[in-house]
Amino acid sequence: MIKRTIMPVLDPSIRNTSFSEVAQGYSLNQVKIEASRCLDCKNPRCVTACPVNIDIPRFIKLILEDRFRDAYCTIYSDNILPAVCGRVCPQEKQCEGACVLGVKFEPVAIGALERYLGDYSLEHNVFRQEIIIDNGKKVAIIGSGPAGLACAAQIRRMGYSTDVYEALHEFGGVLKYGIPEFRLPKSIVDTEIDRLKSLGINFYKNVIIGKTLTIEQLFNELNYQAIFIGSGAGLPSSLGIKGENLNGVYYANEFLTRVNLMKANNFPFSATPIKVGETVAVVGGGNVAMDAARTAKRLGAKKVIIIYRRDMESLPARLEEIHHADEEGIDFMLLLNPVEIIGENYEVKSVKCQRMVLGEPDESGRRKPIPIEEYETIDINNLIVAIGQSPNPIIKKSTPNLEVDKWGCIKVNDYQTSIPGVFAGGDIVTGAATVILAMGAGKTAAFNIDKYIKTL
Ligand SMILES: Cc1cc2nc3c(=O)[nH]c(=O)nc-3n(C[C@H](O)[C@H](O)[C@H](O)COP(=O)(O)OP(=O)(O)OC[C@H]3O[C@@H](n4cnc5c(N)ncnc54)[C@H](O)[C@@H]3O)c2cc1C
Ligand code: SF4
């Protein structure tokens, strides 16, 4: 069996000072070699493990026949953001994790092949032309992240006039304000969104539903027949410990937004500053923590430490991100949990952490961290909190009869909320999850919206 083709990457010593994209993508030759590894299984486990069931063996076969346009369209019919998902999906837990080749050898690099086709379509301006027949009915989409975009695309294809309302001044949700340029170039997200505009979807920025306009106004004044809420989980969780309000403490979402959207890395040529000292600690072990740590390194921090309360095997981030962070010189201090941030003259000076040991598996299936009476104090200049996000309560506050659970996630039954005609999906329903799960939810919700409107 031929070995899995390694994705070319920028040298770690060059890339940790620059925001250029790390993973460089396959060449044509590499893509052909990798595609030739697929066994074209009769019962492809990779397809079942893909949250949107892309016909993976089919698109791989089309690559081998040099039918790149058809291969791209095969993906696009199930996934409107191939260039994005090829870069950011946790493939090792989904399609590649189920690939039969992984039993004895290494799985087919499905994500890298998907990315090649996504990029091919953007470079060659290849995409599926669609004929849409307007049905005279209107749907509003709240939020332009993956859930909102997937719902908008599907609902528009069914003939509805589709308007997307976004609170921020740019479209794309976490794809724009969260995931850094060195992992997902913003031009790619913009081009994918431009394609949706060409379907006739209208996008409105700087509109906060719940403040600028309410759900009630969308129905009664703007005459929408249905509404989809895809407003994500953008509210950071706090550590709840002493010292969290010191200067030099950031929440990862704010830290990343300052760089990704406000271009704080170009300050003073941009309006927003960011202050990064010599030693930065990032608390957390997911993609958000890896992104914050690697961004801090690129902003000039000499030492960046990930502080995580479990062990290396339990880190929830994508394997590739952990590997890249390690290559870029990020240190991992494991089995530690911050209990106090210590300051001097209102500035962060150090963080006191309690040591943990791992006990029996908890509800998440991972071994539960148990504190022991041992402590370690680490000198730092900044601390970035990346321990999770929950939904922003603005929409709920202005919509009292919208039912949410104790974490503020909207309760749904088949994507239908407690208010007739209001549907929801993505992180606002599940809590912080993944791009492809949010897209799957948006797309399925669109079919339910169509069914609902047809009953009116
Ligand atoms: C830093 C970071 C890195 C990540 N890395 C990965 C990764 O590598 N792979 C992966 O699969 N997942 C990753 N994720 C998770 C993934 O990005 C999310 O699960 C996904 O974006 C959720 O999509 P969504 O559409 O539900 O929400 P979002 O992407 O959060 O989009 C919601 C949108 O709604 C807007 N909005 C909110 N409230 C309102 C309102 N009241 N009115 C109008 N608009 C509103 C927001 O501004 C936002 O644009 C990462 C998340 C973060 C934060
Ligand atoms: S499981 Fe692996 S080998 Fe089989 S069809 Fe899917 S990608 Fe190809």
Side-chain angles (χ1 to χ4, degrees):
M1 171 55 63
I2 315 165
K3 279 197 153 210
R4 180 173 156 121
T5 315
I6 293 170
M7 170 77 78
V9 291
L10 281 185
D11 187 85
S13 62
I14 296 172
R15 70 182 194 236
N16 68 14
T17 56
S18 120
F19 281 83
S20 303
E21 189 175 14
V22 170
Q24 298 285 291
Y26 282 162
S27 64
L28 175 60
N29 190 32
Q30 287 170 318
V31 101
K32 290 285 206 142
I33 293 172
E34 189 56 26
S36 73
R37 297 179 67 236
C38 175
L39 303 178
D40 192 12
C41 304
K42 267 215 171 84
N43 295 309
R45 300 184 346 189
C46 53
V47 178
T48 325
C50 168
V52 293
N53 304 123
I54 294 172
D55 192 343
I56 293 164
R58 180 173 156 75
F59 88 68
I60 294 181
K61 210 166 162 196
L62 290 167
I63 290 179
L64 290 172
E65 292 169 10
D66 286 330
R67 292 167 60 191
F68 294 105
R69 185 183 178 283
D70 295 338
Y72 168 76
C73 290
T74 303
I75 301 180
Y76 192 77
S77 60
D78 292 307
N79 178 349
I80 53 153
L81 305 174
V84 170
C85 289
R87 286 172 166 82
V88 305
C89 269
Q91 288 98 4
E92 72 273 10
K93 293 182 189 149
Q94 299 172 350
C95 51
E96 293 181 17
C99 171
V100 71
L101 272 190
V103 178
K104 275 201 175 161
F105 308 98
E106 286 172 297
V108 175
I110 301 166
L113 297 178
E114 180 184 26
R115 168 190 161 140
Y116 181 88
L117 292 172
D119 289 356
Y120 176 91
S121 102
L122 297 176
E123 276 160 29
H124 297 82
N125 202 22
V126 164
F127 67 107
R128 207 176 55 169
Q129 299 292 346
E130 298 181 66
I131 298 161
I132 294 171
I133 300 161
D134 287 317
N135 66 12
K137 301 198 171 113
K138 287 172 70 179
V139 175
I141 311 283
I142 305 174
S144 65
L149 294 177
C151 186
Q154 194 55 49
I155 208 81
R156 178 69 194 128
R157 281 171 174 159
M158 293 189 275
Y160 293 91
S161 166
T162 309
D163 296 336
V164 178
Y165 292 99
E166 168 57 51
L168 296 175
H169 62 280
E170 289 204 24
F171 304 112
V174 169
L175 307 180
K176 281 302 264 305
Y177 78 76
I179 302 180
E181 179 77 17
F182 57 82
R183 253 193 338 118
L184 178 61
K186 303 303 153 213
S187 58
I188 287 177
V189 183
D190 286 336
T191 316
E192 301 253 41
I193 292 175
D194 284 346
R195 288 201 167 166
L196 298 181
K197 288 181 185 162
S198 74
L199 291 181
I201 299 170
N202 306 307
F203 285 84
Y204 301 96
K205 57 187 169 187
N206 300 317
V207 183
I208 305 175
I209 303 299
K211 283 211 186 306
T212 329
L213 281 171
T214 61
I215 298 259
E216 207 182 312
Q217 283 175 308
L218 292 175
F219 276 130
N220 298 338
E221 293 174 23
L222 296 171
N223 300 321
Y224 290 103
Q225 271 82 38
I227 296 168
F228 173 79
I229 308 178
S231 52
L235 194 72
S237 306
S238 66
L239 289 165
I241 59 174
K242 201 173 153 204
E244 213 165 342
N245 55 355
L246 286 165
N247 286 337
V249 177
Y250 289 103
Y251 290 100
N253 264 22
E254 181 209 338
F255 183 79
L256 291 168
T257 304
R258 276 178 186 247
V259 179
N260 292 335
L261 272 195
M262 321 308 286
K263 312 286 173 234
N265 48 321
N266 287 333
F267 185 79
F269 301 105
S270 66
T272 304
I274 199 154
K275 204 173 143 197
V276 170
E278 238 175 57
T279 306
V280 177
V282 179
V283 184
N287 288 321
V288 185
M290 299 304 141
D291 285 344
R294 297 172 70 197
T295 298
K297 191 87 182 173
R298 284 160 172 78
L299 292 174
K302 294 228 159 35
K303 189 174 170 71
V304 181
I305 309 158
I306 297 261
I307 298 178
Y308 181 57
R309 61 191 184 140
R310 289 186 165 99
D311 60 1
M312 203 72 187
E313 287 66 47
S314 312
L315 286 166
R318 291 178 78 224
L319 273 184
E320 189 184 39
E321 308 319 325
I322 300 169
H323 175 62
H324 284 165
D326 182 42
E327 280 184 340
E328 288 165 18
I330 308 292
D331 293 331
F332 290 82
M333 295 188 76
L334 304 164
L335 294 163
L336 285 179
N337 194 35
V339 288
E340 185 183 347
I341 307 166
I342 300 155
E344 205 178 285
N345 296 328
Y346 309 107
E347 299 284 337
V348 177
K349 281 286 159 227
S350 58
V351 57
K352 182 178 172 187
C353 299
Q354 183 165 19
R355 191 153 292 287
M356 317 294 277
V357 290
L358 291 182
E360 292 300 310
D362 61 14
E363 330 65 71
S364 72
R366 291 174 303 163
R367 292 175 66 195
K368 192 176 171 168
I370 302 165
I372 55 170
E373 284 307 310
E374 272 181 37
Y375 296 87
E376 185 167 345
T377 300
I378 309 158
D379 289 340
I380 54 171
N381 306 99
N382 293 97
L383 184 125
I384 304 173
V385 184
I387 57 164
Q389 295 96 237
S390 56
N392 189 306
I394 293 178
I395 296 178
K396 164 65 193 157
K397 275 189 189 152
S398 66
T399 323
N401 47 349
L402 183 68
E403 283 181 19
V404 298
D405 66 16
K406 62 178 174 179
W407 295 280
C409 296
I410 297 178
K411 286 189 186 175
V412 292
N413 185 0
D414 257 353
Y415 305 98
Q416 164 73 63
T417 70
S418 53
I419 304 175
V422 179
F423 294 76
D427 282 8
I428 184 67
V429 168
T430 55
T434 64
V435 170
I436 194 71
L437 286 175
M439 287 175 60
K443 185 176 173 186
T444 316
F447 291 110
N448 292 5
I449 291 172
D450 178 51
K451 268 192 224 149
Y452 165 81
I453 295 179
K454 285 185 172 144
T455 64
L456 291 178

